[in-house]
């Protein structure tokens, strides 16, 4: 059983969603629905999100990403369908149970940072612990650990207004991590940041994830970002999931023409992690020491970042995740990943699915 199971979720915004849903099911099309003042935000969404993965919801603006994310902690309720977290039916929870689920299991990070302006950094970071009734001294100790972990030591007494955008988002991240929930929901957390800061925070998120193993559901409209950080991606278009797959699958077998077009313009060396090209470590070779940085690379590093270690190398390069060697890469496996873009073609569309994206 997946940690988060989403089944048959359809969400309509407007004055009378249940009526609109009945009409939709009896064959009314989307434009007629619009005429009655309703928006079909999600339709028939099924997803399984596994514990410990960074699952990315990716799609253009208005495709339903935020709505879907907010169904997981029930900030928004779907018109039809079910959401289960760890086997628990989120829609069936009473208010008190729902509050407990949000505090203990799910933290959220927003694009607009969502910080409390009148609170110092340390008190913002400690918010989740405070809501759970952790005492002040203990809260501060734990918050300070996370402040240090995200590189904000020395800023703990500042107010959010005294920080740059990148630093504010570090506060948001530290707060989510400090809440000690096993699930973190992130809605375009890095979209407002400048590219270098953004790339840095993406790397840090990957490093934290490798260390912490929490489950992250991450919304972005940026395919490069989605490919870079996602263990798996769901591509949304007009409220429907058109594809679920690993970055590699999404790039090489795009589900539809718009995805294929996107895939053609992706800088694969930058977008794909070296771990995408993983092969088993040869049984006849001694296993290198994971601490040896010249003979090993981090699985989450981009191909671009480790290319210099591969070029001209004859023996396989070991790939580590944390302190474990998880396999090897070679120039030829990487070359296959970086195959010319014209080899990308839309996947065969299954019969009967053409009217879903119409
Ligand atoms: N509270 C709301 N009331 C009416 N329509 C909404 C509301 N929230 C979202 N929508 C509409 O639902 C669709 C999906 O929105 P959203 O989930 O925010 O998309 P995304 O996050 O992918 O940009 C959009 O057409 C949006 O305008
Ligand atoms: Mg959104």
């Amino acid at each position: 059983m997946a940690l988060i199971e989403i089944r048959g979720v359809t969400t309509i915004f407007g004055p009378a969603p249940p009526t609109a849903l009945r009409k939709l099911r009896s064959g009314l099309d989307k434009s007629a629905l619009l005429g009655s003042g309703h928006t079909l935000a999600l339709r028939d969404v099924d997803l399984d999100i596994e514990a410990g993965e960074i699952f990315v919801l990716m799609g253009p603006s208005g495709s339903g990403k935020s709505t879907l994310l907010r169904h997981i902690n029930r900030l928004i309720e779907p018109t039809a369908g079910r959401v289960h977290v760890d086997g628990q039916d989120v829609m069936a929870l009473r208010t008190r149970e729902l509050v407990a689920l949000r505090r203990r299991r799910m933290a959220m990070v927003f694009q607009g940072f969502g910080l409390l302006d009148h609170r110092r950094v340390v008190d913002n970071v400690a918010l989740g612990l405070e809501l759970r009734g952790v005492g002040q001294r203990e809260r501060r100790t734990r918050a300070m650990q996370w402040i240090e972990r995200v590189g904000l030591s020395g800023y703990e007494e500042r107010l959010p207004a005294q920080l740059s955008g990148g630093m504010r988002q570090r506060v948001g991240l530290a707060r989510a991590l400090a809440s000690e929930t096993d699930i973190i929901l992130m809605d375009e957390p890095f979209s407002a940041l400048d590219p270098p800061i953004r790339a840095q925070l993406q790397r840090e998120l990957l490093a934290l994830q490798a260390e912490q193993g929490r489950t992250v559901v991450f919304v972005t409209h940026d395919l490069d970002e989605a490919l870079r950080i996602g263990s798996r991606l769901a591509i949304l278009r007009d409220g429907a999931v058109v594809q679920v797959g690993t970055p590699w699958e999404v790039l090489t077998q795009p589900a539809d023409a718009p995805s294929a077009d996107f895939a053609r313009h992706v800088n694969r060396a930058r977008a794909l992690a070296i771990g995408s090209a993983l092969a088993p470590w040869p049984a006849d070779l001694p296993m290198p020491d994971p601490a040896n940085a010249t003979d090993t690379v981090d699985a989450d590093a981009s191909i671009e970042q480790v290319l210099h270690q591969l070029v001209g190398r004859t023996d396989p390069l070991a790939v580590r995740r944390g302190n474990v060697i998880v396999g090897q890469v070679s120039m030829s496996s990487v070359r296959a990943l970086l195959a010319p873009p014209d080899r990308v073609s839309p996947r065969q569309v299954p019969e009967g699915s053409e009217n879903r994206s119409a």
Side-chain angles (χ1 to χ4, degrees):
M1 187 181 61
L3 179 63
I4 301 171
E5 288 185 352
I6 296 169
R7 290 290 178 274
V9 162
T10 293
T11 307
I12 298 171
F13 290 108
T19 313
L21 179 66
R22 269 199 303 281
K23 289 184 180 163
L24 184 76
R25 290 197 167 147
S26 61
L28 190 79
D29 69 22
K30 212 184 146 185
S31 53
L33 206 60
L34 273 177
S36 67
H38 291 91
T39 304
L40 179 57
L42 292 171
R43 49 172 142 175
D44 300 327
V45 171
D46 295 324
L47 278 183
D48 283 323
I49 300 173
E50 305 292 340
E53 67 180 340
I54 301 186
F55 193 93
V56 174
L57 305 175
M58 145 75 203
S61 175
S63 57
K65 307 179 296 293
S66 295
T67 304
L68 186 53
L69 189 75
R70 284 165 169 74
H71 285 335
I72 298 173
N73 60 1
R74 215 175 114 189
L75 286 179
I76 302 176
E77 302 201 353
T79 312
R82 298 186 293 109
V83 176
H84 279 85
V85 173
D86 221 1
Q88 205 171 23
D89 181 351
V90 176
M91 267 358 111
L93 297 180
R94 292 136 60 118
T95 308
R96 183 182 301 186
E97 297 163 329
L98 182 61
V99 168
L101 180 83
R102 287 182 188 152
R103 285 187 187 162
R104 296 184 184 284
R105 309 256 358 223
M106 297 184 211
M108 200 153 177
V109 183
F110 303 90
Q111 175 176 5
F113 317 130
L115 303 179
L116 298 174
D117 292 334
H118 59 283
R119 284 184 153 222
R120 297 169 307 161
V121 166
V122 62
D123 298 321
N124 263 291
V125 173
L127 185 69
L129 296 169
E130 187 177 337
L131 290 172
R132 265 166 42 185
V134 176
Q136 186 170 359
R137 186 171 302 174
E138 174 69 16
R139 273 196 324 255
R140 191 181 164 90
T141 308
R142 289 202 232 166
M144 291 299 278
Q145 287 165 359
W146 286 110
I147 287 170
E148 189 187 342
R149 187 65 188 77
V150 303
L152 283 178
S153 292
Y155 292 93
E156 53 275 1
E157 307 297 332
R158 303 272 184 107
L159 291 172
Q162 299 171 303
L163 303 178
S164 68
M167 290 164 86
R168 272 185 253 183
Q169 197 51 289
R170 284 169 199 271
V171 179
L173 196 56
R175 181 176 62 191
L177 290 161
S179 302
E180 292 167 4
T181 61
D182 59 327
I183 300 169
I184 302 181
L185 308 176
M186 305 181 84
D187 195 350
E188 309 230 17
F190 306 149
S191 299
L193 306 175
D194 292 336
I197 310 271
R198 183 174 184 164
Q200 197 178 342
L201 278 164
Q202 289 168 354
R203 281 197 295 276
E204 288 175 20
L205 178 65
L206 285 168
L208 282 163
Q209 168 65 12
E211 169 195 308
Q212 296 275 314
R214 305 208 198 174
T215 307
V216 177
V217 188
F218 189 104
V219 165
T220 182
H221 66 265
D222 181 297
L223 183 61
D224 287 293
E225 178 167 80
L227 294 167
R228 191 69 198 82
I229 70 160
S231 322
R232 290 192 304 142
L233 287 60
I235 312 263
L236 275 99
R237 213 177 300 291
D238 292 331
V241 172
V242 296
Q243 185 169 17
V244 178
T246 62
W248 170 237
E249 287 163 349
V250 165
L251 268 187
T252 55
Q253 304 143 41
D256 57 9
S259 296
D261 196 43
F262 254 131
R264 261 189 289 278
H265 294 102
V266 163
N267 177 343
R268 293 182 173 203
R270 194 165 293 167
L272 289 174
I274 192 68
S276 320
L278 211 59
W281 182 258
D284 55 334
L285 289 181
M287 193 74 86
D289 176 4
N292 176 344
T294 46
D295 280 325
T296 67
V297 290
D298 188 324
D300 289 323
S302 69
I303 292 173
E304 188 179 52
Q305 284 169 316
V306 304
L307 214 49
H308 68 278
Q309 279 173 273
L310 269 171
V311 172
R313 191 183 181 98
T314 47
D315 37 331
L317 181 59
V319 178
R320 64 174 189 276
R321 186 165 269 132
N323 294 323
V324 182
I325 299 291
V326 290
Q328 56 108 353
V329 288
S330 63
M331 203 59 210
S332 62
S333 60
V334 165
R335 226 178 261 124
L337 272 189
L338 301 180
D342 56 39
R343 280 179 35 197
V344 176
S345 55
R347 196 176 55 180
Q348 208 62 34
V349 177
E351 245 182 297
S353 64
E354 48 284 50
N355 53 2
R356 292 191 95 194
S357 57

